């Protein structure tokens, strides 16, 4: 007769699983609450303390840590010395270990969690049992989640669990315990800065249609422990499967949209904003964003901060949109939009702010670059009007442009007026070229630049960039300042009768 050890916190399906194991001639051994549950269900079960000779102690801190348990798990059946040790000490081999862990992450996610409560939810015996079983998976079946019960039972009914399945179960165990340890590490390290060893945990969230290019396979993994992620509580209402580029653009658009409290529309193409509009209504915000650059908006990702009305849905249905993301859709809007088979419609269940405590991580050759996220508005008291004057409306546009340029690839230049983008120069090696592209793009689209506002994500090292903008009619500039030639730039702007603000902070994005 084979022996199964069951010790689970999440008791979902455990009684039915145990009953099937009995039918397959397993002897059941269980600890604490698991043993009580199985006995209550009328199943024959041996309490774990009968094996160890010790009742649980230290307030349930020590239950399974005993040679009679770990010897039975770790013994190699094909090693004579191991078998002899079992016989010498009267230890019966354990052939199946089913354990799931204390809900540490769920506990520490509560805002009111007490330190001692969190400490007591750090599981010690459970990971030790699982790791022992996984190490010896050639002889022991390791199970760490209820969803594996059916598969294991099916293979046992056929004779035994295959080598391939045992290996997969063992890998899942070590991934589970590694993630568990990482969660404890993150919690204990809160407020201590960057840890000496960073162990991010990512869970498979979605298979993607393809990667950056159709010949590349891709998957979306969600970071464990993040307060939200790109598709958390988001429902896809219509359209083809999402691709790598769809999600990359959606992330860029969502992060920018979170800068605005009122009705706003962000249109992104290749991770850069090509049209942004803010207004009193979401319909007007969309029209502004689209009019900013209707050519680049073709096939873009559209993120809206307000529900899509019937009228707006019909308007959007006339455009080619790759991804449409909004916190709700009118039924008439959906009816119009689903006529477009290509558009992926995503309903945001709950609009949330960005978590400033999250880190940005960028994969590089052989490692990871990690930094604090560049989120939240810059303090107004850190901004200095170095020449000219800024009326209230001008200030609104300066801050609007400054929010957008922070989310535009460097070198970045953004030109706006009245809550609408007019021209964007992004991802250029030369800041002068970025200015020239933004100005020329605005002119090509028929926008007047008289009195418009320009934002630069980093300082102007020379006056040549501002000169191009000023000659085009730009009335105000916002930039970080800090160049050795700031005085030359200020003089050029002042002589043109324009206004310039030093924000005191740079916003490179690569």
């Amino acid at each position: 007769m084979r022996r199964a050890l069951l010790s689970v916190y999440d008791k979902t399906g455990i009684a039915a699983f145990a009953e099937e194991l009995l039918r397959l001639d397993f002897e059941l051994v269980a600890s604490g609450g698991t043993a009580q549950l199985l006995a209550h269900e009328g199943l024959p079960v041996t309490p774990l303390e009968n094996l160890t000779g010790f009742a649980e102690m230290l307030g349930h801190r020590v239950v399974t840590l005993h040679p009679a348990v770990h010897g039975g798990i770790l013994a190699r059946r094909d090693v004579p010395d191991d078998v002899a040790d079992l016989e010498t000490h009267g230890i019966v081999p354990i052939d199946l270990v089913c354990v799931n862990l204390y809900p540490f992450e769920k506990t520490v996610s509560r805002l009111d969690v007490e330190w001692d409560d969190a400490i007591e939810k750090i599981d010690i015996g459970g990971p030790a049992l699982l790791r022992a079983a996984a190490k010896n998976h050639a002889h022991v079946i390791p199970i760490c989640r209820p969803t594996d019960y059916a598969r294991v039972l099916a293979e046992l009914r056929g004779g035994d669990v295959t080598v391939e399945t045992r290996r997969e179960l063992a890998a899942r165990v070590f991934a589970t315990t590694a993630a568990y340890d990482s969660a404890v590490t993150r919690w204990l390290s809160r407020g201590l800065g960057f840890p000496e060893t960073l162990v991010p945990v990512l869970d498979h969230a979605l298979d993607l249609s393809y990667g950056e290019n159709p010949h590349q396979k891709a998957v979306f993994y969600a970071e464990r422990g993040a307060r939200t992620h790109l598709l958390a509580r988001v429902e896809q209402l219509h359209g083809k499967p999402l691709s790598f580029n769809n999600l990359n653009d959606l992330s860029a658009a969502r992060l920018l949209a979170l800068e605005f409290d009122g009705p706003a529309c962000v249109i992104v193409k290749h991770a850069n904003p090509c049209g942004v509009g803010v207004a009193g209504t979401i319909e007007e915000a969309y029209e502004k964003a689209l009019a900013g650059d209707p050519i680049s908006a073709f096939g873009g990702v559209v993120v809206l901060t307000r529900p899509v009305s019937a009228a707006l849905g019909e308007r959007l249905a006339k455009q080619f949109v790759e991804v449409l993301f909004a916190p709700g859709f009118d039924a008439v809007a959906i009816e119009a939009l689903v006529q477009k088979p290509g558009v992926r419609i995503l309903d945001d269940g709950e609009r949330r702010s960005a978590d400033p405590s999250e880190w940005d991580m960028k994969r590089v050759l052989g490692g990871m670059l990690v930094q604090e996220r560049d989120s939240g508005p810059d303090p107004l008291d850190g901004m200095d009007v170095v020449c000219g004057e800024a009326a209230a409306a001008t200030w609104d546009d300066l801050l609007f442009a400054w929010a957008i340029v922070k989310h535009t690839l460097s070198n970045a230049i953004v030109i706006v007026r009245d809550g609408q983008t007019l021209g964007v120069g992004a991802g250029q090696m030369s800041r002068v070229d970025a200015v020239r592209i933004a100005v020329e793009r605005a002119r090509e689209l028929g926008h007047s630049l008289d009195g418009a506002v320009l934002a630069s994500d980093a300082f102007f090292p020379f006056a040549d960039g501002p000169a191009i903008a000023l000659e085009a009619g730009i009335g105000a500039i916002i930039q970080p300042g800090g160049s050795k030639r700031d005085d030359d730039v200020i003089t050029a702007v002042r002589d043109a009768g324009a206004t310039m603000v030093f924000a005191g902070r740079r916003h490179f994005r690569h």
Side-chain angles (χ1 to χ4, degrees), residues 151-206:
R151 178 180 179 183
V152 169
L153 288 172
E155 293 196 17
L156 285 172
R157 292 187 192 105
D160 200 358
V161 175
T162 66
V163 172
E164 293 75 17
T165 297
R166 288 170 180 266
R167 181 177 177 182
E168 183 180 335
L169 292 171
R172 184 170 297 122
V173 161
F174 282 110
T176 298
T177 58
Y180 195 85
D181 288 343
S182 177
V184 176
T185 302
R186 287 198 310 272
W187 179 71
L188 290 172
S189 302
R190 289 180 307 171
L192 300 181
F194 296 115
E196 184 174 333
T197 301
L198 178 63
V199 187
V201 177
L202 306 172
D203 293 315
H204 183 286
L206 186 68

Side-chain angles (χ1 to χ4, degrees), residues 134-154:
K135 175 175 180 174
N136 202 26
H137 65 271
H139 306 286
V140 182
I141 304 164
I143 306 172
C144 63
R145 63 178 190 178
T147 51
D148 289 323
Y149 295 168
R151 178 180 179 183
V152 169
L153 288 172

Side-chain angles (χ1 to χ4, degrees), residues 121-463:
K121 284 298 185 290
I122 299 176
D123 204 327
I124 301 300
L129 290 172
L130 284 173
R131 288 170 61 83
K135 175 175 180 174
N136 202 26
H137 65 271
H139 306 286
V140 182
I141 304 164
I143 306 172
C144 63
R145 63 178 190 178
T147 51
D148 289 323
Y149 295 168
R151 178 180 179 183
V152 169
L153 288 172
E155 293 196 17
L156 285 172
R157 292 187 192 105
D160 200 358
V161 175
T162 66
V163 172
E164 293 75 17
T165 297
R166 288 170 180 266
R167 181 177 177 182
E168 183 180 335
L169 292 171
R172 184 170 297 122
V173 161
F174 282 110
T176 298
T177 58
Y180 195 85
D181 288 343
S182 177
V184 176
T185 302
R186 287 198 310 272
W187 179 71
L188 290 172
S189 302
R190 289 180 307 171
L192 300 181
F194 296 115
E196 184 174 333
T197 301
L198 178 63
V199 187
V201 177
L202 306 172
D203 293 315
H204 183 286
L206 186 68
D207 289 317
L208 304 179
S209 57
Y210 57 86
E212 256 184 308
N213 300 291
H215 64 276
Q216 294 171 272
K217 295 179 180 179
V219 174
F220 170 52
Y221 286 91
E223 184 180 1
R224 177 88 63 87
R227 293 184 184 178
T228 184
H229 64 69
L230 190 58
L231 296 176
R233 293 184 288 279
V234 172
E235 180 183 3
Q236 183 168 352
L237 304 180
H238 173 72
K240 298 181 292 186
L242 293 159
S243 72
F244 182 101
N245 292 333
N246 291 153
L247 291 189
N248 191 48
D249 287 352
L250 178 61
S251 179
R254 287 193 65 185
L255 285 170
L256 175 49
L258 289 171
E259 298 277 353
F260 310 117
D261 294 325
C265 174
V266 175
I267 305 175
V268 160
K269 197 76 169 289
H270 298 299
N272 274 309
C274 61
V276 184
V278 294
T281 67
I282 194 64
E283 290 81 5
E284 185 182 356
Y286 170 69
E287 294 298 343
K288 280 187 170 183
L290 180 63
D293 191 345
I295 297 173
S296 297
F298 183 83
V301 168
V302 178
V303 168
L304 302 157
T305 64
R306 294 292 187 273
V308 175
S309 63
L312 180 54
E314 292 174 351
R315 178 77 173 95
L316 283 160
K318 297 177 181 178
Q319 308 297 323
F320 172 43
V321 176
E322 279 275 359
V323 179
L324 177 59
F325 182 96
F329 292 83
D330 182 272
V332 175
I334 289 292
E335 185 178 347
L337 289 165
V338 297
Q339 303 306 311
K340 293 273 191 172
V343 63
R344 300 158 175 88
I345 303 173
L346 302 179
D347 190 345
D348 182 18
E350 178 186 352
R351 187 170 191 259
R352 297 162 297 279
S353 60
D355 182 0
S357 68
E358 286 187 356
W359 292 330
D360 276 334
M361 293 181 280
K362 184 180 181 68
R363 190 78 165 92
V364 294
L365 186 64
M368 192 86 73
L369 300 175
V370 181
Q371 65 177 350
E372 296 175 336
R373 173 162 286 172
D374 187 7
S375 62
D378 291 344
L380 292 177
D381 58 8
M383 297 185 179
D384 184 21
V385 181
V386 294
C387 66
E389 296 181 358
T394 302
W395 262 113
D396 287 344
D397 273 345
L398 285 166
L399 297 178
F400 176 63
W402 192 238
I404 298 169
V405 82
K406 181 169 71 173
H407 295 268
T408 307
L409 291 179
S410 302
N411 285 316
I413 297 293
V414 173
I415 300 173
V416 310
R417 184 175 49 234
D418 298 331
Q420 176 186 9
T421 50
L422 305 180
V424 177
Q428 299 304 305
M429 289 71 76
S430 163
R431 189 159 302 279
V432 173
D433 285 343
V435 174
R436 186 176 293 111
I437 290 170
V439 168
E440 292 177 354
R441 189 64 181 155
R443 284 172 169 166
E444 289 171 1
L445 295 166
H447 298 304
S448 170
L449 297 183
D450 291 339
V453 164
L454 178 147
S456 173
D457 65 336
F459 64 64
F460 286 104
F462 302 98

